[in-house]
Amino acid sequence: MNKKIISVLSAFVLAISLSSCSNDSEIKSAEEYKDTYPDIYATYKANEDMSETKFGGSVQVDYLEAHPNLRTYYEGYGFAKQYDRARGHVYALEDVINTERPKPGASCLACKTADFVAALEKDGVDVNSMDFDQFVADHQGMDTISCYDCHMNDIGTVQVTRDHFRKQIDAGNVNANNAKVDSLSCAQCHVEYYLDPDTKEVILPYKYGFETDDMLKYYDEIEFADWEHPQTGAKLLKAQHPEFETMMGSVHDSAGLSCIDCHMPVVENEKGEKFKSHHWTSPLKSKEGIKNSCLSCHAGKSEDEMIAWVEEVQQGVYDRTNEVSDELKAFIDLLAKHVKAGDLSDEDKAELQKIHRHAQFKWDFVWVENGEGFHNSKKAHQNLDEAEELVKQGLEILKKYE
Ligand code: HEC
Ligand code: HEC
Ligand code: HEC
Ligand code: HEC
């Protein structure tokens, strides 16, 4: 990692955080850069690739099929209708438009297209709560995630374009002035968030920190819930792709890496010219990528050995996720039975509903994280252990009623 680039960029992102993204010029589409940056454009187009790896990749796996317990967890909420695994950036816009999940507002487009950012700038925060379909109908020809999302119209700088993320920098909840500043361009979308119930504004729950306990403290304090579970009556939270928060405090974060060190490896064109790949996908798909982004530190290992090592770490998290999932499912079923029977004391019922809320959030935080355990296996195991501990406490309370 080039120290000079880091310091230039950190100064730059900080500057942006103090100004704001006022850019009056039209948004340039990715295609307009096709001739100026042919190599980068070609890797950008490679985001259409739909291949997969052992635990990850870009095939749209139907999560509800693959993991039927999810139907119980998300009952009464949109994610029980359709929930597919993420694929490349070029599909972001069409995937949100086509999902069968109901959309609470136009702000669902906040992380799918820069045209929504432009609309927020132009028409103000009220666009967040506009009807989603109406907004899409009014804005024909929107671009999916493209150059503007990270560079605006100024290629050669990396920028934070999302107000919801800039606000966290300004509040001091995210330190933009450290070595991991490159990650911020990714973190503006690859994070846990919620929508303000009234304004539908995107907000990040960072007041107390990046851990699940910090977020639960915040969510409990503001009494936020995404929905109420129809069987247990618990007021639940849906965790969303917390890649950035998971990465924080990981071995690779401590080693000074950012998202782009692994996801935008330096590659070469036929003439031997080097550039940063703009194909954001599983690093395990490219041996050239593994060589250039991993082996500088993990010298002595081959590319295949690196893949096997990652998969071993992921397997451990995967198995534990399934184990705790079955325990959580059994707890929810039992709680639902007693809520239906109406035999719980008010105090126990409230406590059990809180346990459902907290345990499911911790489990979901690991399950929905797209690194499938790789980004921070220690944090993943810790959250799963804590979810399991909560479930045990819940079962202990329920014993009285069996
Ligand atoms: C040390 C290298 C490294 C760093 C740093 C890193 N990742 Fe990853 N990422 C990986 C690996 C390895 C996988 C697992 C890929 C797989 O399962 O095929 C992955 C998976 C992903 C996936 C799912 C990809 C897929 O195709 O399944 C996303 C999304 C992702 N990372 C985003 C991020 C973001 C955002 C950051 C920064 C906050 C980040 N990553 C930091 C190495 C890294
Ligand atoms: C404007 C929002 C946004 C930004 C900025 C963003 N992403 Fe994404 N990313 C998404 C969305 C949305 C998806 C899922 C698209 C889909 O499934 O339709 C995604 C998917 C991915 C995937 C999975 C691709 C696959 O093949 O499965 C990876 C990896 C990834 N992003 C990495 C990154 C990295 C690294 C950065 C920073 C350089 C970044 N993203 C910046 C929104 C964003
Ligand atoms: C998801 C965020 C993101 C998107 C979208 C994006 N870039 Fe980048 N781009 C980056 C980051 C991060 C860097 C690396 C900055 C650094 O070197 O630390 C970069 C670097 C570059 C560079 C410098 C080249 C190099 O090899 O270092 C160019 C040129 C560039 N991007 C052009 C484009 C073009 C053209 C598009 C659209 C087709 C685009 N970018 C889309 C994040 C993005
Ligand atoms: C800047 C140096 C550096 C780079 C680059 C780097 N790593 Fe690491 N990695 C470390 C350190 C330090 C550790 C912790 C000590 C150890 O286990 O070797 C680690 C640990 C790991 C682990 C074990 C993690 C766990 O949870 O047990 C895996 C797997 C791994 N790295 C894979 C990768 C992959 C894949 C890449 C490239 C995409 C990569 N690393 C790039 C420094 C690095």
Side-chain angles (χ1 to χ4, degrees):
M1 237 291 159
N2 183 327
K3 287 258 161 47
K4 203 161 150 222
I5 295 182
I6 291 171
S7 61
V8 168
L9 268 180
S10 38
F12 182 78
V13 173
L14 195 66
I16 284 297
S17 75
L18 299 175
S19 70
S20 94
C21 71
S22 56
N23 189 328
D24 296 324
S25 47
E26 284 288 297
I27 297 178
K28 284 209 185 105
S29 71
E31 228 194 318
E32 288 177 72
Y33 294 103
K34 195 168 72 185
D35 300 326
T36 336
Y37 302 108
D39 296 323
I40 288 183
Y41 185 75
T43 57
Y44 171 81
K45 288 302 274 183
N47 289 294
E48 288 169 2
D49 158 75
M50 291 269 286
S51 59
E52 67 182 335
T53 59
K54 186 164 180 200
F55 291 99
S58 325
V59 174
Q60 276 191 302
V61 173
D62 180 339
Y63 280 154
L64 300 171
E65 279 295 318
H67 204 86
N69 287 357
L70 295 178
R71 294 185 200 277
T72 301
Y73 303 156
Y74 306 147
E75 192 179 338
Y77 196 51
F79 284 90
K81 292 197 167 48
Q82 188 180 346
Y83 200 4
D84 297 335
R85 187 168 67 193
R87 51 179 181 159
H89 282 173
V90 291
Y91 300 109
L93 184 60
E94 65 184 83
D95 286 349
V96 73
I97 290 174
N98 294 336
T99 179
E100 281 169 32
R101 285 199 293 277
K103 290 101 176 181
S107 55
C108 297
L109 291 162
C111 278
K112 322 290 181 193
T113 170
D115 292 274
F116 185 77
V117 178
L120 267 180
E121 275 278 295
K122 186 163 157 279
D123 301 325
V125 291
D126 287 350
V127 296
N128 286 314
S129 55
M130 261 183 80
D131 179 67
F132 181 93
D133 295 325
Q134 188 61 51
F135 185 94
V136 171
D138 291 350
H139 295 79
Q140 295 293 325
M142 287 190 289
D143 219 358
T144 185
I145 298 170
S146 73
C147 321
Y148 191 93
D149 287 86
C150 302
H151 298 296
M152 297 179 77
N153 286 333
D154 186 9
I155 302 285
T157 61
V158 178
Q159 310 203 24
V160 171
T161 53
R162 265 55 182 186
D163 258 340
H164 61 246
F165 200 77
R166 199 174 309 106
K167 276 185 187 149
Q168 298 297 325
I169 298 175
D170 292 348
N173 295 336
V174 174
N175 182 358
N177 202 17
N178 69 8
K180 275 75 83 183
V181 73
D182 293 355
S183 290
L184 302 184
S185 67
C186 314
Q188 51 186 336
C189 300
H190 287 269
V191 285
E192 158 66 4
Y193 71 92
Y194 70 102
L195 297 182
D196 181 280
D198 301 321
T199 65
K200 308 300 174 206
E201 187 188 346
V202 177
I203 308 178
L204 312 184
Y206 289 171
K207 184 174 173 193
Y208 298 113
F210 300 125
E211 305 302 322
T212 49
D213 281 337
D214 300 324
M215 294 181 189
L216 285 169
K217 182 176 168 191
Y218 172 76
Y219 282 136
D220 288 352
E221 185 177 280
I222 63 167
E223 295 183 359
F224 177 82
D226 284 301
W227 86 108
E228 185 176 308
H229 196 273
Q231 307 284 336
T232 69
K235 298 205 168 21
L236 297 177
L237 299 159
K238 178 72 193 82
Q240 330 260 2
H241 38 72
E243 279 81 70
F244 175 63
E245 300 88 336
T246 297
M247 161 86 181
M248 291 291 100
S250 66
V251 284
H252 291 114
D253 178 39
S254 307
L257 295 181
S258 77
C259 317
I260 73 163
D261 291 314
C262 301
H263 287 284
M264 297 181 69
V266 173
V267 291
E268 272 181 26
N269 66 12
E270 308 87 67
K271 288 185 240 151
E273 293 160 345
K274 292 184 189 329
F275 63 99
K276 290 224 162 82
S277 169
H278 279 57
H279 181 193
W280 303 278
T281 190
S282 164
L284 306 186
K285 286 182 188 172
S286 154
K287 295 216 173 146
E288 186 190 8
I290 294 180
K291 183 165 164 272
N292 293 341
S293 32
C294 317
L295 300 189
S296 53
C297 293
H298 297 292
K301 277 201 165 31
S302 70
E303 289 84 345
D304 286 331
E305 283 167 345
M306 285 308 295
I307 295 175
W309 191 21
V310 171
E311 287 174 354
E312 189 190 313
V313 170
Q314 291 177 316
Q315 185 74 54
V317 174
Y318 179 81
D319 290 344
R320 186 76 181 125
T321 305
N322 286 337
E323 202 173 277
V324 177
S325 176
D326 288 340
E327 293 165 6
L328 177 62
K329 166 83 163 65
F331 164 71
I332 293 171
D333 288 345
L334 194 59
L335 175 56
K337 188 181 106 183
H338 287 285
V339 168
K340 193 168 176 210
D343 59 1
L344 300 170
S345 74
D346 288 349
E347 198 189 327
D348 283 344
K349 188 166 133 187
E351 181 61 21
L352 289 160
Q353 287 168 336
K354 191 171 173 190
I355 286 174
H356 181 187
R357 170 180 165 95
H358 287 196
Q360 185 165 314
F361 183 72
K362 282 176 183 287
W363 181 86
D364 210 8
F365 192 87
V366 177
W367 160 259
V368 303
E369 205 278 328
N370 285 298
E372 313 295 339
F374 169 77
H375 288 139
N376 195 341
S377 64
K378 193 164 161 244
K379 192 180 283 194
H381 280 289
Q382 188 186 326
N383 274 309
L384 293 171
D385 289 350
E386 287 167 4
E388 182 178 61
E389 182 52 36
L390 284 166
V391 164
K392 278 192 186 141
Q393 286 169 19
L395 290 173
E396 197 56 40
I397 297 172
L398 284 168
K399 251 191 201 160
K400 288 193 280 187
Y401 298 94
E402 283 297 297

